[in-house]
Amino acid sequence: MDITSIFTPVFILGGMGLIFGGGLAYASQKFAVKVDPRIASIRDNLPGANCGGCGFPGCDGFASAVVEGKAPADGCPVASEEAVKAIASVMGQEVSSGEKMIARVICAGGVDKSKESFEYYGIDNCKAANMFKGGSKSCKYGCLGLGTCVKVCPFDAIEITEERLAVVNPDKCTGCGKCIEECPKNVIALVPYKQDVHIDCNNREKGKEVKQKCEVGCIGCQICVKACPFDAIIFENNLARIDYDKCKNCMLCAQKCPTNAIYANFENRKKAEIIEEKCIECTICKKNCPVDAIEGEVKQPHKILEDKCIGCGICEEKCPKNAIRMK
Amino acid sequence: MSAAGLFVILVSSILVNNFVMSRFLGICPFLGVSKQVETAVGMSMAVTFVMTLASIITYLVQYILLAPLGLEYLQTIAFILVIASLVQLVEMIVQKVSPTLYKALGVYLPLITTNCAVLGVAILNIQYEYNLMETIVNAVGASIGFGLAIILFAGIRERLEIADIPAVFKGFPIALITASLMSMAFLGFAGLV
């Protein structure tokens, strides 16, 4: 075999590439446009997914909008806290770092828990399914689980479980809000990432109807409203809702809910601990504990009953000597 | 070839074998940059420039480099190399000369790289065994045809924006229907040459 038949094309193509490359390098200097260096450094701090969650055409569009003052430095819903700070420092601004928000499907009624009223053989798309009698699920407020949100998620953060329920992976979710726009049932909500308690029901019907349709629906009994020591549960339209600003993740509501419609990550539940050297045995913590989980009299060592403590953190706040810590 | 021959090629590439309407090449910018007449004009200018230059250079590459060395099989990759570098060059020039146009064209400017109409013209020139003059005429004609199609289409779409269209047809569906109707209209030129 003739070796030149291998080398000629390599040289020809390589040579062409070299010439064009050189020409372009020259042209790029000749036609160099002075760009605001801030745009480039902001662009470097953005995630680069071009998801459009900010409302500008891609990350480049957002970067130039920030420099032009049309967008706030924390306008990217996807950027991490550090990235937002970096962008703000490029612009010479201080940013009150907003809490990271993620999407959450507020429905726990999979096919095992919520009855189907008919079998659906149509197009594999929640929007299409919703057009026919609001979908096959007997509950007209719940997740249809056909994965329309999965398809729009730019970060691959949503999965459909075996029970045909969409579940958002909190670590992958960036809170860009695309799934929220797409969901025909409006059953996806933005919640704070740090939140450990969620009311996973979207049904606004009366308790009796909810009970017939779903095992884990909110029946509007308002036990959680009464149980909450912080008035953090709002009850409206036959549905309980958590006010995330007030909620302390004590998970008391989740324990009391008769239908288990409130999800709580009990593994993350904190426990109060008394630092004995600092404690002056004043019983202020005992008086303030909403669940009587602190034992002790004046001038007697205080003790926390671990099985009763709900980790609400009130005692930590009230202790005058900072002798209580949460862990 | 005589002037008449060149004229036939020109008419043929503008109307009869219109790249968008009868060859269905370059559909991406045709649909993407046709929302406003102004950007459509800019896009067709950029395409005209790239197409004509690309045709000349690919012609030279083909007959000076590839054919004498028997490397015709490298045609596609070599042509893409030429087109890609040309697009880069055009991008730089446009950014320098007219930042407004650069912004308006947005992502579609680098997309000329993958505009199959550009590669299509270059390859067709070789296939039809045109000489350099015919190549240039064909490329200019093709880009005028492309410009004609995209500017007409943009004009129609501008009116569609304010027209009362059923909700399901709004946006791309009606644009595609319009495009197919235009394509049928262009079919009327068949047999002209």
Side-chain angles (χ1 to χ4, degrees), chain B residues 30-31 34-37 151-167 169-182:
Chain B
F30 178 68
L31 287 172
S34 56
K35 274 213 166 135
Q36 288 169 358
V37 172
I151 292 168
L152 284 178
F153 188 55
I156 297 175
R157 279 187 77 177
E158 271 190 358
R159 294 189 183 200
L160 284 177
E161 280 292 301
I162 47 167
D164 185 21
I165 303 163
F169 286 128
K170 272 207 173 108
F172 272 109
I174 193 73
L176 288 169
I177 293 171
T178 315
S180 65
L181 289 176
M182 278 179 72

PDB file of all heavy atoms in Angstrom, chain B residues 30-31 34-37 151-167 169-182:
ATOM      1  N   PHE B  30     -34.409  29.519   7.983  1.00  0.00           N
ATOM      2  CA  PHE B  30     -35.643  29.945   7.318  1.00  0.00           C
ATOM      3  C   PHE B  30     -36.775  30.075   8.333  1.00  0.00           C
ATOM      4  O   PHE B  30     -37.559  31.017   8.300  1.00  0.00           O
ATOM      5  CB  PHE B  30     -36.008  28.934   6.232  1.00  0.00           C
ATOM      6  CG  PHE B  30     -37.288  29.240   5.512  1.00  0.00           C
ATOM      7  CD1 PHE B  30     -37.382  30.347   4.689  1.00  0.00           C
ATOM      8  CD2 PHE B  30     -38.395  28.430   5.657  1.00  0.00           C
ATOM      9  CE1 PHE B  30     -38.559  30.641   4.031  1.00  0.00           C
ATOM     10  CE2 PHE B  30     -39.572  28.716   5.000  1.00  0.00           C
ATOM     11  CZ  PHE B  30     -39.651  29.826   4.187  1.00  0.00           C
ATOM     12  N   LEU B  31     -36.843  29.127   9.266  1.00  0.00           N
ATOM     13  CA  LEU B  31     -37.882  29.205  10.292  1.00  0.00           C
ATOM     14  C   LEU B  31     -37.425  30.030  11.487  1.00  0.00           C
ATOM     15  O   LEU B  31     -38.222  30.687  12.136  1.00  0.00           O
ATOM     16  CB  LEU B  31     -38.261  27.803  10.766  1.00  0.00           C
ATOM     17  CG  LEU B  31     -39.068  27.005   9.758  1.00  0.00           C
ATOM     18  CD1 LEU B  31     -39.215  25.570  10.228  1.00  0.00           C
ATOM     19  CD2 LEU B  31     -40.430  27.622   9.547  1.00  0.00           C
ATOM     20  N   SER B  34     -36.979  34.284  10.796  1.00  0.00           N
ATOM     21  CA  SER B  34     -37.929  34.926   9.890  1.00  0.00           C
ATOM     22  C   SER B  34     -39.062  35.609  10.643  1.00  0.00           C
ATOM     23  O   SER B  34     -40.153  35.728  10.137  1.00  0.00           O
ATOM     24  CB  SER B  34     -38.481  33.893   8.911  1.00  0.00           C
ATOM     25  OG  SER B  34     -39.057  32.835   9.621  1.00  0.00           O
ATOM     26  N   LYS B  35     -38.794  36.037  11.867  1.00  0.00           N
ATOM     27  CA  LYS B  35     -39.874  36.688  12.617  1.00  0.00           C
ATOM     28  C   LYS B  35     -40.011  38.150  12.223  1.00  0.00           C
ATOM     29  O   LYS B  35     -41.095  38.714  12.281  1.00  0.00           O
ATOM     30  CB  LYS B  35     -39.605  36.577  14.113  1.00  0.00           C
ATOM     31  CG  LYS B  35     -40.140  35.268  14.677  1.00  0.00           C
ATOM     32  CD  LYS B  35     -40.621  35.455  16.103  1.00  0.00           C
ATOM     33  CE  LYS B  35     -41.454  34.282  16.557  1.00  0.00           C
ATOM     34  NZ  LYS B  35     -41.096  33.841  17.878  1.00  0.00           N
ATOM     35  N   GLN B  36     -38.897  38.775  11.863  1.00  0.00           N
ATOM     36  CA  GLN B  36     -38.939  40.175  11.457  1.00  0.00           C
ATOM     37  C   GLN B  36     -38.204  40.337  10.135  1.00  0.00           C
ATOM     38  O   GLN B  36     -37.172  39.702   9.916  1.00  0.00           O
ATOM     39  CB  GLN B  36     -38.241  41.055  12.502  1.00  0.00           C
ATOM     40  CG  GLN B  36     -39.041  41.192  13.767  1.00  0.00           C
ATOM     41  CD  GLN B  36     -38.236  41.816  14.863  1.00  0.00           C
ATOM     42  OE1 GLN B  36     -37.054  42.118  14.681  1.00  0.00           O
ATOM     43  NE2 GLN B  36     -38.860  42.001  16.000  1.00  0.00           N
ATOM     44  N   VAL B  37     -38.735  41.191   9.292  1.00  0.00           N
ATOM     45  CA  VAL B  37     -38.122  41.403   7.985  1.00  0.00           C
ATOM     46  C   VAL B  37     -36.681  41.890   8.146  1.00  0.00           C
ATOM     47  O   VAL B  37     -35.777  41.454   7.445  1.00  0.00           O
ATOM     48  CB  VAL B  37     -38.944  42.414   7.164  1.00  0.00           C
ATOM     49  CG1 VAL B  37     -38.209  42.783   5.894  1.00  0.00           C
ATOM     50  CG2 VAL B  37     -40.302  41.827   6.817  1.00  0.00           C
ATOM     51  N   ILE B 151     -37.203  36.517   3.180  1.00  0.00           N
ATOM     52  CA  ILE B 151     -37.756  37.859   3.389  1.00  0.00           C
ATOM     53  C   ILE B 151     -39.257  37.864   3.121  1.00  0.00           C
ATOM     54  O   ILE B 151     -40.037  38.431   3.893  1.00  0.00           O
ATOM     55  CB  ILE B 151     -37.019  38.889   2.491  1.00  0.00           C
ATOM     56  CG1 ILE B 151     -35.582  39.036   2.979  1.00  0.00           C
ATOM     57  CG2 ILE B 151     -37.716  40.237   2.531  1.00  0.00           C
ATOM     58  CD1 ILE B 151     -34.685  39.775   2.018  1.00  0.00           C
ATOM     59  N   LEU B 152     -39.681  37.181   2.047  1.00  0.00           N
ATOM     60  CA  LEU B 152     -41.123  37.055   1.799  1.00  0.00           C
ATOM     61  C   LEU B 152     -41.815  36.416   2.993  1.00  0.00           C
ATOM     62  O   LEU B 152     -42.845  36.877   3.477  1.00  0.00           O
ATOM     63  CB  LEU B 152     -41.373  36.189   0.550  1.00  0.00           C
ATOM     64  CG  LEU B 152     -41.132  36.822  -0.808  1.00  0.00           C
ATOM     65  CD1 LEU B 152     -41.397  35.795  -1.897  1.00  0.00           C
ATOM     66  CD2 LEU B 152     -42.041  38.022  -0.994  1.00  0.00           C
ATOM     67  N   PHE B 153     -41.204  35.344   3.465  1.00  0.00           N
ATOM     68  CA  PHE B 153     -41.767  34.584   4.576  1.00  0.00           C
ATOM     69  C   PHE B 153     -41.848  35.453   5.828  1.00  0.00           C
ATOM     70  O   PHE B 153     -42.851  35.441   6.546  1.00  0.00           O
ATOM     71  CB  PHE B 153     -40.881  33.358   4.815  1.00  0.00           C
ATOM     72  CG  PHE B 153     -41.431  32.381   5.803  1.00  0.00           C
ATOM     73  CD1 PHE B 153     -42.699  31.843   5.640  1.00  0.00           C
ATOM     74  CD2 PHE B 153     -40.667  31.976   6.881  1.00  0.00           C
ATOM     75  CE1 PHE B 153     -43.195  30.938   6.544  1.00  0.00           C
ATOM     76  CE2 PHE B 153     -41.166  31.070   7.790  1.00  0.00           C
ATOM     77  CZ  PHE B 153     -42.428  30.545   7.624  1.00  0.00           C
ATOM     78  N   ALA B 154     -40.773  36.238   6.065  1.00  0.00           N
ATOM     79  CA  ALA B 154     -40.771  37.108   7.240  1.00  0.00           C
ATOM     80  C   ALA B 154     -41.875  38.148   7.134  1.00  0.00           C
ATOM     81  O   ALA B 154     -42.547  38.462   8.120  1.00  0.00           O
ATOM     82  CB  ALA B 154     -39.414  37.785   7.394  1.00  0.00           C
ATOM     83  N   GLY B 155     -42.076  38.661   5.893  1.00  0.00           N
ATOM     84  CA  GLY B 155     -43.144  39.635   5.696  1.00  0.00           C
ATOM     85  C   GLY B 155     -44.501  39.044   6.042  1.00  0.00           C
ATOM     86  O   GLY B 155     -45.319  39.663   6.729  1.00  0.00           O
ATOM     87  N   ILE B 156     -44.718  37.810   5.597  1.00  0.00           N
ATOM     88  CA  ILE B 156     -45.999  37.156   5.893  1.00  0.00           C
ATOM     89  C   ILE B 156     -46.135  36.925   7.394  1.00  0.00           C
ATOM     90  O   ILE B 156     -47.177  37.174   7.996  1.00  0.00           O
ATOM     91  CB  ILE B 156     -46.105  35.816   5.135  1.00  0.00           C
ATOM     92  CG1 ILE B 156     -46.080  36.078   3.633  1.00  0.00           C
ATOM     93  CG2 ILE B 156     -47.375  35.084   5.531  1.00  0.00           C
ATOM     94  CD1 ILE B 156     -46.068  34.826   2.804  1.00  0.00           C
ATOM     95  N   ARG B 157     -45.015  36.484   8.021  1.00  0.00           N
ATOM     96  CA  ARG B 157     -45.096  36.180   9.459  1.00  0.00           C
ATOM     97  C   ARG B 157     -45.342  37.434  10.281  1.00  0.00           C
ATOM     98  O   ARG B 157     -46.010  37.372  11.312  1.00  0.00           O
ATOM     99  CB  ARG B 157     -43.825  35.484   9.921  1.00  0.00           C
ATOM    100  CG  ARG B 157     -43.842  34.021   9.595  1.00  0.00           C
ATOM    101  CD  ARG B 157     -42.673  33.304  10.185  1.00  0.00           C
ATOM    102  NE  ARG B 157     -42.842  33.068  11.615  1.00  0.00           N
ATOM    103  CZ  ARG B 157     -41.967  32.400  12.344  1.00  0.00           C
ATOM    104  NH1 ARG B 157     -40.881  31.917  11.789  1.00  0.00           N
ATOM    105  NH2 ARG B 157     -42.163  32.214  13.630  1.00  0.00           N
ATOM    106  N   GLU B 158     -44.808  38.563   9.820  1.00  0.00           N
ATOM    107  CA  GLU B 158     -45.067  39.804  10.547  1.00  0.00           C
ATOM    108  C   GLU B 158     -46.555  40.100  10.559  1.00  0.00           C
ATOM    109  O   GLU B 158     -47.110  40.544  11.560  1.00  0.00           O
ATOM    110  CB  GLU B 158     -44.310  40.969   9.894  1.00  0.00           C
ATOM    111  CG  GLU B 158     -42.922  41.140  10.447  1.00  0.00           C
ATOM    112  CD  GLU B 158     -42.271  42.419   9.975  1.00  0.00           C
ATOM    113  OE1 GLU B 158     -42.886  43.164   9.186  1.00  0.00           O
ATOM    114  OE2 GLU B 158     -41.130  42.662  10.389  1.00  0.00           O
ATOM    115  N   ARG B 159     -47.208  39.829   9.432  1.00  0.00           N
ATOM    116  CA  ARG B 159     -48.657  40.066   9.388  1.00  0.00           C
ATOM    117  C   ARG B 159     -49.397  39.024  10.199  1.00  0.00           C
ATOM    118  O   ARG B 159     -50.435  39.311  10.793  1.00  0.00           O
ATOM    119  CB  ARG B 159     -49.141  40.036   7.951  1.00  0.00           C
ATOM    120  CG  ARG B 159     -48.563  41.185   7.179  1.00  0.00           C
ATOM    121  CD  ARG B 159     -49.199  41.296   5.834  1.00  0.00           C
ATOM    122  NE  ARG B 159     -48.575  42.374   5.094  1.00  0.00           N
ATOM    123  CZ  ARG B 159     -49.141  42.963   4.076  1.00  0.00           C
ATOM    124  NH1 ARG B 159     -50.333  42.580   3.685  1.00  0.00           N
ATOM    125  NH2 ARG B 159     -48.521  43.936   3.452  1.00  0.00           N
ATOM    126  N   LEU B 160     -48.879  37.791  10.187  1.00  0.00           N
ATOM    127  CA  LEU B 160     -49.544  36.728  10.950  1.00  0.00           C
ATOM    128  C   LEU B 160     -49.563  37.044  12.438  1.00  0.00           C
ATOM    129  O   LEU B 160     -50.463  36.646  13.161  1.00  0.00           O
ATOM    130  CB  LEU B 160     -48.835  35.394  10.723  1.00  0.00           C
ATOM    131  CG  LEU B 160     -49.093  34.713   9.385  1.00  0.00           C
ATOM    132  CD1 LEU B 160     -48.270  33.451   9.281  1.00  0.00           C
ATOM    133  CD2 LEU B 160     -50.568  34.382   9.236  1.00  0.00           C
ATOM    134  N   GLU B 161     -48.522  37.766  12.888  1.00  0.00           N
ATOM    135  CA  GLU B 161     -48.431  38.118  14.306  1.00  0.00           C
ATOM    136  C   GLU B 161     -49.695  38.813  14.786  1.00  0.00           C
ATOM    137  O   GLU B 161     -50.160  38.592  15.902  1.00  0.00           O
ATOM    138  CB  GLU B 161     -47.233  39.049  14.545  1.00  0.00           C
ATOM    139  CG  GLU B 161     -45.899  38.356  14.621  1.00  0.00           C
ATOM    140  CD  GLU B 161     -45.759  37.497  15.852  1.00  0.00           C
ATOM    141  OE1 GLU B 161     -45.869  38.035  16.969  1.00  0.00           O
ATOM    142  OE2 GLU B 161     -45.559  36.270  15.698  1.00  0.00           O
ATOM    143  N   ILE B 162     -50.231  39.694  13.928  1.00  0.00           N
ATOM    144  CA  ILE B 162     -51.397  40.464  14.359  1.00  0.00           C
ATOM    145  C   ILE B 162     -52.694  39.874  13.828  1.00  0.00           C
ATOM    146  O   ILE B 162     -53.768  40.365  14.125  1.00  0.00           O
ATOM    147  CB  ILE B 162     -51.273  41.945  13.924  1.00  0.00           C
ATOM    148  CG1 ILE B 162     -50.862  42.023  12.465  1.00  0.00           C
ATOM    149  CG2 ILE B 162     -50.290  42.686  14.798  1.00  0.00           C
ATOM    150  CD1 ILE B 162     -51.024  43.404  11.881  1.00  0.00           C
ATOM    151  N   ALA B 163     -52.588  38.788  13.051  1.00  0.00           N
ATOM    152  CA  ALA B 163     -53.803  38.196  12.499  1.00  0.00           C
ATOM    153  C   ALA B 163     -54.507  37.363  13.571  1.00  0.00           C
ATOM    154  O   ALA B 163     -53.906  36.950  14.544  1.00  0.00           O
ATOM    155  CB  ALA B 163     -53.468  37.322  11.302  1.00  0.00           C
ATOM    156  N   ASP B 164     -55.784  37.135  13.354  1.00  0.00           N
ATOM    157  CA  ASP B 164     -56.572  36.361  14.301  1.00  0.00           C
ATOM    158  C   ASP B 164     -56.456  34.877  13.932  1.00  0.00           C
ATOM    159  O   ASP B 164     -57.139  34.385  13.051  1.00  0.00           O
ATOM    160  CB  ASP B 164     -58.025  36.831  14.235  1.00  0.00           C
ATOM    161  CG  ASP B 164     -58.863  36.135  15.288  1.00  0.00           C
ATOM    162  OD1 ASP B 164     -58.273  35.651  16.257  1.00  0.00           O
ATOM    163  OD2 ASP B 164     -60.093  36.089  15.120  1.00  0.00           O
ATOM    164  N   ILE B 165     -55.546  34.188  14.612  1.00  0.00           N
ATOM    165  CA  ILE B 165     -55.279  32.793  14.287  1.00  0.00           C
ATOM    166  C   ILE B 165     -55.815  31.928  15.420  1.00  0.00           C
ATOM    167  O   ILE B 165     -55.658  32.289  16.585  1.00  0.00           O
ATOM    168  CB  ILE B 165     -53.764  32.554  14.142  1.00  0.00           C
ATOM    169  CG1 ILE B 165     -53.209  33.490  13.068  1.00  0.00           C
ATOM    170  CG2 ILE B 165     -53.448  31.123  13.784  1.00  0.00           C
ATOM    171  CD1 ILE B 165     -51.723  33.624  13.134  1.00  0.00           C
ATOM    172  N   PRO B 166     -56.421  30.776  15.116  1.00  0.00           N
ATOM    173  CA  PRO B 166     -56.859  29.872  16.193  1.00  0.00           C
ATOM    174  C   PRO B 166     -55.674  29.517  17.097  1.00  0.00           C
ATOM    175  O   PRO B 166     -54.545  29.351  16.612  1.00  0.00           O
ATOM    176  CB  PRO B 166     -57.346  28.633  15.444  1.00  0.00           C
ATOM    177  CG  PRO B 166     -57.655  29.103  14.077  1.00  0.00           C
ATOM    178  CD  PRO B 166     -56.791  30.284  13.799  1.00  0.00           C
ATOM    179  N   ALA B 167     -55.952  29.410  18.387  1.00  0.00           N
ATOM    180  CA  ALA B 167     -54.871  29.246  19.359  1.00  0.00           C
ATOM    181  C   ALA B 167     -53.954  28.081  19.033  1.00  0.00           C
ATOM    182  O   ALA B 167     -52.739  28.171  19.206  1.00  0.00           O
ATOM    183  CB  ALA B 167     -55.461  29.070  20.753  1.00  0.00           C
ATOM    184  N   PHE B 169     -53.001  26.957  16.263  1.00  0.00           N
ATOM    185  CA  PHE B 169     -52.118  27.178  15.120  1.00  0.00           C
ATOM    186  C   PHE B 169     -51.091  28.269  15.379  1.00  0.00           C
ATOM    187  O   PHE B 169     -50.217  28.497  14.557  1.00  0.00           O
ATOM    188  CB  PHE B 169     -52.933  27.549  13.893  1.00  0.00           C
ATOM    189  CG  PHE B 169     -53.660  26.381  13.290  1.00  0.00           C
ATOM    190  CD1 PHE B 169     -55.008  26.432  13.037  1.00  0.00           C
ATOM    191  CD2 PHE B 169     -52.969  25.222  12.995  1.00  0.00           C
ATOM    192  CE1 PHE B 169     -55.668  25.345  12.494  1.00  0.00           C
ATOM    193  CE2 PHE B 169     -53.624  24.135  12.449  1.00  0.00           C
ATOM    194  CZ  PHE B 169     -54.975  24.199  12.209  1.00  0.00           C
ATOM    195  N   LYS B 170     -51.214  28.965  16.500  1.00  0.00           N
ATOM    196  CA  LYS B 170     -50.341  30.114  16.738  1.00  0.00           C
ATOM    197  C   LYS B 170     -48.876  29.718  16.754  1.00  0.00           C
ATOM    198  O   LYS B 170     -48.529  28.639  17.224  1.00  0.00           O
ATOM    199  CB  LYS B 170     -50.714  30.768  18.072  1.00  0.00           C
ATOM    200  CG  LYS B 170     -51.797  31.796  17.867  1.00  0.00           C
ATOM    201  CD  LYS B 170     -51.777  32.899  18.892  1.00  0.00           C
ATOM    202  CE  LYS B 170     -52.786  33.942  18.486  1.00  0.00           C
ATOM    203  NZ  LYS B 170     -53.964  33.958  19.330  1.00  0.00           N
ATOM    204  N   GLY B 171     -48.030  30.597  16.258  1.00  0.00           N
ATOM    205  CA  GLY B 171     -46.602  30.357  16.312  1.00  0.00           C
ATOM    206  C   GLY B 171     -46.123  29.476  15.175  1.00  0.00           C
ATOM    207  O   GLY B 171     -46.427  29.738  14.007  1.00  0.00           O
ATOM    208  N   PHE B 172     -45.406  28.389  15.511  1.00  0.00           N
ATOM    209  CA  PHE B 172     -44.787  27.584  14.470  1.00  0.00           C
ATOM    210  C   PHE B 172     -45.762  26.833  13.568  1.00  0.00           C
ATOM    211  O   PHE B 172     -45.503  26.733  12.367  1.00  0.00           O
ATOM    212  CB  PHE B 172     -43.768  26.630  15.084  1.00  0.00           C
ATOM    213  CG  PHE B 172     -42.420  27.261  15.202  1.00  0.00           C
ATOM    214  CD1 PHE B 172     -41.899  27.607  16.424  1.00  0.00           C
ATOM    215  CD2 PHE B 172     -41.688  27.546  14.062  1.00  0.00           C
ATOM    216  CE1 PHE B 172     -40.670  28.223  16.523  1.00  0.00           C
ATOM    217  CE2 PHE B 172     -40.461  28.161  14.145  1.00  0.00           C
ATOM    218  CZ  PHE B 172     -39.946  28.500  15.378  1.00  0.00           C
ATOM    219  N   PRO B 173     -46.866  26.304  14.100  1.00  0.00           N
ATOM    220  CA  PRO B 173     -47.757  25.574  13.183  1.00  0.00           C
ATOM    221  C   PRO B 173     -48.182  26.423  11.984  1.00  0.00           C
ATOM    222  O   PRO B 173     -48.056  25.975  10.837  1.00  0.00           O
ATOM    223  CB  PRO B 173     -48.953  25.240  14.066  1.00  0.00           C
ATOM    224  CG  PRO B 173     -48.410  25.195  15.431  1.00  0.00           C
ATOM    225  CD  PRO B 173     -47.310  26.196  15.486  1.00  0.00           C
ATOM    226  N   ILE B 174     -48.637  27.638  12.234  1.00  0.00           N
ATOM    227  CA  ILE B 174     -49.103  28.465  11.113  1.00  0.00           C
ATOM    228  C   ILE B 174     -47.920  28.847  10.228  1.00  0.00           C
ATOM    229  O   ILE B 174     -48.051  28.936   8.997  1.00  0.00           O
ATOM    230  CB  ILE B 174     -49.871  29.710  11.628  1.00  0.00           C
ATOM    231  CG1 ILE B 174     -50.635  30.397  10.490  1.00  0.00           C
ATOM    232  CG2 ILE B 174     -48.951  30.709  12.286  1.00  0.00           C
ATOM    233  CD1 ILE B 174     -51.838  29.656  10.025  1.00  0.00           C
ATOM    234  N   ALA B 175     -46.740  29.002  10.833  1.00  0.00           N
ATOM    235  CA  ALA B 175     -45.550  29.315  10.042  1.00  0.00           C
ATOM    236  C   ALA B 175     -45.244  28.173   9.082  1.00  0.00           C
ATOM    237  O   ALA B 175     -44.920  28.398   7.907  1.00  0.00           O
ATOM    238  CB  ALA B 175     -44.369  29.575  10.960  1.00  0.00           C
ATOM    239  N   LEU B 176     -45.361  26.950   9.576  1.00  0.00           N
ATOM    240  CA  LEU B 176     -45.072  25.797   8.718  1.00  0.00           C
ATOM    241  C   LEU B 176     -46.111  25.672   7.603  1.00  0.00           C
ATOM    242  O   LEU B 176     -45.770  25.357   6.459  1.00  0.00           O
ATOM    243  CB  LEU B 176     -45.035  24.514   9.562  1.00  0.00           C
ATOM    244  CG  LEU B 176     -43.808  24.393  10.455  1.00  0.00           C
ATOM    245  CD1 LEU B 176     -43.973  23.258  11.434  1.00  0.00           C
ATOM    246  CD2 LEU B 176     -42.566  24.161   9.604  1.00  0.00           C
ATOM    247  N   ILE B 177     -47.366  25.933   7.939  1.00  0.00           N
ATOM    248  CA  ILE B 177     -48.411  25.883   6.905  1.00  0.00           C
ATOM    249  C   ILE B 177     -48.118  26.933   5.833  1.00  0.00           C
ATOM    250  O   ILE B 177     -48.174  26.663   4.625  1.00  0.00           O
ATOM    251  CB  ILE B 177     -49.803  26.116   7.534  1.00  0.00           C
ATOM    252  CG1 ILE B 177     -50.154  24.939   8.431  1.00  0.00           C
ATOM    253  CG2 ILE B 177     -50.860  26.291   6.455  1.00  0.00           C
ATOM    254  CD1 ILE B 177     -51.387  25.158   9.268  1.00  0.00           C
ATOM    255  N   THR B 178     -47.758  28.137   6.300  1.00  0.00           N
ATOM    256  CA  THR B 178     -47.413  29.211   5.369  1.00  0.00           C
ATOM    257  C   THR B 178     -46.262  28.787   4.469  1.00  0.00           C
ATOM    258  O   THR B 178     -46.290  28.990   3.248  1.00  0.00           O
ATOM    259  CB  THR B 178     -46.997  30.467   6.151  1.00  0.00           C
ATOM    260  OG1 THR B 178     -47.914  30.675   7.194  1.00  0.00           O
ATOM    261  CG2 THR B 178     -46.952  31.666   5.254  1.00  0.00           C
ATOM    262  N   ALA B 179     -45.252  28.180   5.098  1.00  0.00           N
ATOM    263  CA  ALA B 179     -44.082  27.769   4.328  1.00  0.00           C
ATOM    264  C   ALA B 179     -44.483  26.769   3.256  1.00  0.00           C
ATOM    265  O   ALA B 179     -44.007  26.841   2.106  1.00  0.00           O
ATOM    266  CB  ALA B 179     -43.033  27.167   5.252  1.00  0.00           C
ATOM    267  N   SER B 180     -45.361  25.845   3.599  1.00  0.00           N
ATOM    268  CA  SER B 180     -45.735  24.839   2.603  1.00  0.00           C
ATOM    269  C   SER B 180     -46.551  25.473   1.475  1.00  0.00           C
ATOM    270  O   SER B 180     -46.395  25.099   0.306  1.00  0.00           O
ATOM    271  CB  SER B 180     -46.508  23.701   3.260  1.00  0.00           C
ATOM    272  OG  SER B 180     -47.723  24.191   3.765  1.00  0.00           O
ATOM    273  N   LEU B 181     -47.393  26.447   1.815  1.00  0.00           N
ATOM    274  CA  LEU B 181     -48.150  27.132   0.763  1.00  0.00           C
ATOM    275  C   LEU B 181     -47.210  27.887  -0.169  1.00  0.00           C
ATOM    276  O   LEU B 181     -47.351  27.854  -1.397  1.00  0.00           O
ATOM    277  CB  LEU B 181     -49.162  28.102   1.387  1.00  0.00           C
ATOM    278  CG  LEU B 181     -50.355  27.448   2.088  1.00  0.00           C
ATOM    279  CD1 LEU B 181     -51.218  28.495   2.752  1.00  0.00           C
ATOM    280  CD2 LEU B 181     -51.170  26.637   1.101  1.00  0.00           C
ATOM    281  N   MET B 182     -46.191  28.554   0.451  1.00  0.00           N
ATOM    282  CA  MET B 182     -45.213  29.265  -0.370  1.00  0.00           C
ATOM    283  C   MET B 182     -44.474  28.301  -1.281  1.00  0.00           C
ATOM    284  O   MET B 182     -44.212  28.591  -2.450  1.00  0.00           O
ATOM    285  CB  MET B 182     -44.197  29.972   0.524  1.00  0.00           C
ATOM    286  CG  MET B 182     -44.676  31.297   1.067  1.00  0.00           C
ATOM    287  SD  MET B 182     -43.425  32.008   2.126  1.00  0.00           S
ATOM    288  CE  MET B 182     -42.206  32.502   0.931  1.00  0.00           C
TER     289      MET B 182
END
